[in-house]
Amino acid sequence: MTGRQQPRRGQGELEAQVLAALHEAGEPVGTAWVQERLGGALAYTTVITTLTRLLAKGAVTRRKAGRAFVWSPAADEAGLAALRMRRVLDAERDRGAVLTSFVTSLPPGDEQLLRELLERAGEPED
């Protein structure tokens, strides 16, 4: 092992860094911009692979800009957290048990907020 090798990132850490960079940009940006924002030490292909994985997960969008793509986050931070929560829930066989466990573990303030949000979601729109 040489002194130049970077320590391995934790699972999802690079994706989180890429998403944070995209949020910081505030507008669609190219892969090279993301690479530079992350310090430039990552290979361009690593950044492209990460962005493509995020695209497959629905966390980012892309559109053609000339011969390349520009990338944007698909949602704000709250929307991305909700997407992660839905993916975890979708991966479980017993959704009812997972939701029951989740709700019963909430602190009282969060439980009340959830009740209010569910009530509002059930109300007919004008």
Side-chain angles (χ1 to χ4, degrees):
M1 182 187 276
T2 67
R4 291 182 170 174
Q5 288 183 329
Q6 299 282 330
R8 280 187 73 86
R9 288 179 177 79
Q11 184 176 5
E13 188 177 339
L14 181 55
E15 288 181 358
Q17 290 172 347
V18 167
L19 283 170
L22 290 174
H23 278 285
E24 188 178 307
E27 63 184 4
V29 294
T31 305
W33 186 93
V34 175
Q35 179 190 26
E36 181 181 310
R37 192 73 189 126
L38 296 177
L42 292 172
Y44 184 88
T45 54
T46 300
V47 178
I48 266 287
T49 299
T50 304
L51 286 163
T52 302
R53 287 181 180 158
L54 288 168
L55 180 67
K57 293 177 180 182
V60 300
T61 61
R62 73 178 182 192
R63 68 175 167 79
K64 199 81 157 144
R67 293 174 37 199
F69 289 107
V70 290
W71 305 84
S72 301
D76 61 10
E77 295 289 337
L80 290 172
L83 177 66
R84 288 191 301 271
M85 291 167 66
R86 280 192 307 272
R87 278 200 308 263
V88 168
L89 185 59
D90 289 345
E92 297 298 324
R93 288 185 319 194
D94 190 347
R95 294 172 75 91
V98 173
L99 287 169
T100 298
S101 180
F102 175 73
V103 170
T104 58
S105 69
L106 290 173
D110 288 348
E111 184 179 338
Q112 182 58 37
L113 176 59
L114 181 57
R115 288 180 190 281
E116 292 170 8
L117 292 169
L118 289 170
E119 285 175 21
R120 276 190 254 157
E123 294 175 359
E125 294 185 28
D126 293 331

